[in-house]
Amino acid sequence: MDLINQWLTRGAVEYPTRLALQGHWVHSDEIASLCYRDLAHKVESCVQQLQESGVKRVLFRADNSLNWALADLSAMKAGLVFIPVPTFFNESQVAHLIDASSADAFWGDWPEWDELQSYGLVAGLPLWVDEVDCPNPLIDDTQKITFTSGSTGQPKGVCLSRQVLGNMAQFLAKGLYESRVILGHHLSVLPLTTLLENICALYVPLALGACSIICRSEFVGLSGSSRFDANRFAMALRKFSPHSLVVTPALLSVLVHFARQMPDVCQSLRFVALGGAKVAPDLLHQVSQMGIPVYQGYGLSECASVVSLNLPRSNRVGSVGKPLANRQLKIDAQGHLHVKGSLMLGYLGQAGMSDQWLDTGDLARIDEDGFLYIQGRSSHLIITSFGRNISPEWVESEAQKWPILSDMVVFGDGQKSVCALVILRGVSEETSSITRSLEKAIAELNQTLPDYARIGCLFWSMSGSSLLHDLRTGNGRWRRQQVAQYLNDQVLQLNADLVHPVIFSLEHATDLQA
């Protein structure tokens, strides 16, 4: 029996009446609870249904809920390949997942299947069985396929085994136990389709015999992948008084605000894991001074999530911690970080990996005490403060459909939303008219993109502007690093919520800078 199922069985036997899960069922506004004994019984019932259905690979789509947790644990125990579908993926990305996975079942929220007869309700959610004549082959031992947020329009499927998922949760639980961090209950804030949250909000609490609080996303303030309601988040913290959270830099800034305005909201916290994107050093120093127990880490889906993590007894602000005990790290001659140990089986549709080193593509260094520092990326990839990976070239290529956006450069590493600078040629309209034209084009572009890749802040300028002198090479290529350095601070000074796109002239940014 794998580790995760062992923990579930142990809980049902050794502490059957202890709370295992709290939160919402998908169609209820009431907070429900499941003890370890009841959770084990419900999992057994779902396993029997899944085995009777005969399905092998299942695409699962649903908002965070107790149903999500039950479906995940049941699929694992039944030996199915479980493929979570992010609810914020757009239609073309979902179509890609369907085609690439060759799934023979659709489980959960699939309105496009509503007119067809479902197999029935499993874990409280409908299951549709679909025959697949020639399924695409899978790498042996694949249990879960996690799709990244999609740095391009076609996200890759990362194939993971039960053993690797269990080992990851075990090492994290061991690190907390050895640091004498006692966690009674964890509040899930990020989508459970995010592998880090999946492991930390479901598997680690099982390993520790703790309770996981899993509510619908809107209840904790999250909408889509990167729209956030701070007041709802505060209400959830006050209601549940959780001991632990997983946050991105964007959510950390909200915690800092709460600690200043409503200190009681954060008092219950004992361990806050921070990851997903780079963090401003000033924010980390503020957190340290305020006594919020935040510990920064680093990981990749290809590494089954966490590679390194700061812990209470081994914490160095500015670093992403020391590697977990199951990891080996090395830095090559180009400064790239390579990782070995407990990796993915391989990418969906590709050959499996042997026991080899994985080049992360991240530039890094390791200090004399073994702490890891991530210094940047070797590619143009940007990561928003909500932890979403985006290829700027992808968004720029999509923008080519609108002539007014044809000369665009995308940036926004560490920002709440994707940002862009567009250069206009041969335009003689007044500023107000230009703004309206850009608003229309950006609105139409954003409709074609998943929410995490939509433009939230746009700067524009005329092609002859002297402000562009240092932002392009001699042959006209964008100097991406210089663009980001020049405009990132201006985005922060605008203090925009980025829920609706904001548009400013480049000259306005210069005024802010002055």
Side-chain angles (χ1 to χ4, degrees):
M1 186 185 295
D2 62 87
L3 282 171
I4 295 169
N5 284 313
Q6 284 181 31
W7 297 330
L8 181 59
T9 301
R10 179 191 65 189
V13 173
E14 296 184 8
Y15 30 86
T17 60
R18 185 185 297 178
L19 280 183
L21 293 175
Q22 271 191 304
H24 292 122
W25 296 106
V26 287
H27 300 303
S28 174
D29 292 329
E30 301 296 322
I31 298 296
S33 301
L34 283 178
C35 64
Y36 271 86
R37 178 182 55 211
D38 290 346
L39 176 59
H41 287 166
K42 284 186 175 294
V43 167
E44 254 336 300
S45 177
C46 292
V47 167
Q48 184 176 348
Q49 288 181 281
L50 291 171
Q51 290 175 339
E52 290 173 353
S53 73
V55 301
K56 302 298 182 184
R57 305 180 196 177
V58 58
L59 280 164
F60 179 82
R61 181 166 64 181
D63 190 13
N64 281 13
S65 59
L66 300 184
N67 309 71
W68 209 110
L70 188 56
D72 186 303
L73 296 173
S74 302
M76 182 171 292
K77 190 163 188 179
L80 306 185
V81 178
F82 189 67
I83 312 168
V85 180
T87 57
F88 51 81
F89 271 14
N90 63 17
E91 289 183 7
S92 65
Q93 290 176 315
V94 173
H96 169 69
L97 265 65
I98 293 172
D99 181 61
S101 65
S102 294
D104 59 0
F106 295 76
W107 192 4
D109 182 16
W110 294 94
E112 54 266 58
W113 286 75
D114 280 349
E115 295 182 359
L116 302 179
Q117 182 66 38
S118 71
Y119 171 82
L121 295 179
V122 183
L125 294 167
L127 175 72
W128 291 270
V129 179
D130 183 33
E131 293 185 7
V132 179
D133 294 330
C134 299
N136 294 329
L138 284 182
I139 303 169
D140 290 345
D141 297 326
T142 298
Q143 192 282 322
K144 177 170 288 182
I145 303 175
T146 183
F147 280 84
T148 62
S149 56
S151 62
T152 68
Q154 303 298 346
K156 288 184 176 180
V158 175
C159 299
L160 300 164
S161 68
R162 283 185 287 185
Q163 180 182 2
V164 163
L165 291 169
N167 286 343
M168 172 56 62
Q170 184 178 49
F171 278 107
L172 290 173
K174 182 181 179 183
L176 293 169
Y177 177 80
E178 291 177 345
S179 297
R180 298 184 180 179
V181 178
I182 308 300
L183 300 182
H185 40 280
H186 173 93
L187 177 61
S188 179
V189 180
L190 302 180
L192 285 168
T193 49
T194 303
L195 185 61
L196 176 61
E197 187 69 42
N198 189 184
I199 291 172
C200 292
L202 192 53
Y203 306 151
V204 173
L206 282 178
L208 295 171
C211 175
S212 183
I213 303 165
I214 305 175
C215 299
R216 287 197 300 273
S217 296
E218 63 177 1
F219 188 85
V220 295
L222 193 63
S223 174
S225 68
S226 54
R227 304 289 181 252
F228 193 69
D229 185 328
N231 291 328
R232 284 181 178 266
F233 183 38
M235 290 171 61
L237 290 176
R238 181 166 279 135
K239 179 176 180 62
F240 293 111
S241 298
H243 295 152
S244 61
L245 303 168
V246 174
V247 300
T248 61
L251 301 189
L252 178 60
S253 64
V254 175
L255 274 182
V256 170
H257 172 75
F258 289 158
R260 287 176 178 150
Q261 305 297 323
M262 301 174 285
D264 63 298
V265 170
C266 301
Q267 284 179 354
S268 66
L269 295 172
R270 300 173 183 174
F271 191 90
V272 179
L274 171 65
K278 71 177 184 180
V279 186
D282 288 348
L283 182 58
L284 289 174
H285 288 302
Q286 290 177 44
V287 168
S288 179
Q289 292 170 3
M290 299 173 78
I292 305 175
V294 173
Y295 300 93
Q296 189 177 5
Y298 163 80
L300 303 165
S301 295
E302 289 83 350
C303 299
S305 192
V306 182
V307 171
S308 63
L309 180 66
N310 280 294
L311 290 164
R313 292 188 169 187
S314 180
N315 184 30
R316 185 159 294 175
V317 174
S319 80
V320 291
K322 290 184 176 181
L324 300 185
N326 60 333
R327 305 296 192 190
Q328 298 178 55
L329 307 184
K330 70 178 181 181
I331 311 294
D332 68 16
Q334 287 73 44
H336 287 208
L337 173 66
H338 293 246
V339 181
K340 188 176 183 181
S342 294
L343 303 177
M344 65 175 178
L345 298 169
Y347 288 114
L348 179 63
Q350 299 182 13
M353 294 178 60
S354 59
D355 186 21
Q356 59 186 276
W357 291 92
L358 175 75
D359 184 353
T360 66
D362 288 314
L363 303 174
R365 69 178 179 89
I366 301 172
D367 70 16
E368 63 278 5
D369 295 318
F371 286 91
L372 176 66
Y373 296 78
I374 302 300
Q375 299 175 303
R377 281 169 298 285
S378 58
S379 69
H380 296 152
L381 194 70
I382 63 177
I383 305 179
T384 68
S385 64
F386 285 95
R388 299 298 165 194
N389 298 349
I390 300 150
S391 165
E393 291 93 343
W394 164 42
V395 179
E396 290 160 7
S397 66
E398 291 295 315
Q400 295 297 313
K401 301 170 187 175
W402 289 266
I404 197 171
L405 303 178
S406 60
D407 191 4
M408 174 189 283
V409 59
V410 167
F411 64 101
D413 203 45
Q415 300 290 359
K416 292 180 182 178
S417 181
V418 176
C419 306
L421 168 63
V422 64
I423 305 306
L424 306 179
R425 290 184 172 84
V427 176
S428 57
E429 303 172 21
E430 294 183 355
T431 297
S432 59
S433 179
I434 291 172
T435 300
R436 286 194 297 271
S437 298
L438 287 171
E439 285 175 344
K440 182 176 184 295
I442 289 296
E444 292 174 355
L445 168 63
N446 281 347
Q447 286 299 309
T448 71
L449 298 169
D451 69 347
Y452 62 86
R454 292 171 182 167
I455 305 295
C457 186
L458 178 75
F459 294 99
W460 63 271
S461 183
M462 296 299 182
S463 60
S465 174
S466 60
L467 298 174
L468 304 175
H469 178 72
D470 295 325
L471 302 183
R472 290 190 188 271
T473 64
N475 60 5
R477 293 179 181 271
W478 287 108
R479 301 182 189 270
R480 293 182 181 272
Q481 187 173 359
Q482 282 85 340
V483 170
Q485 289 175 344
Y486 185 66
L487 290 176
N488 262 335
D489 288 343
Q490 278 65 55
V491 175
L492 294 175
Q493 288 184 55
L494 291 172
N495 197 30
D497 60 14
L498 303 183
V499 172
H500 303 290
V502 292
I503 297 176
F504 292 94
S505 69
L506 190 62
E507 286 71 19
H508 182 92
T510 304
D511 293 340
L512 285 173
Q513 192 176 45

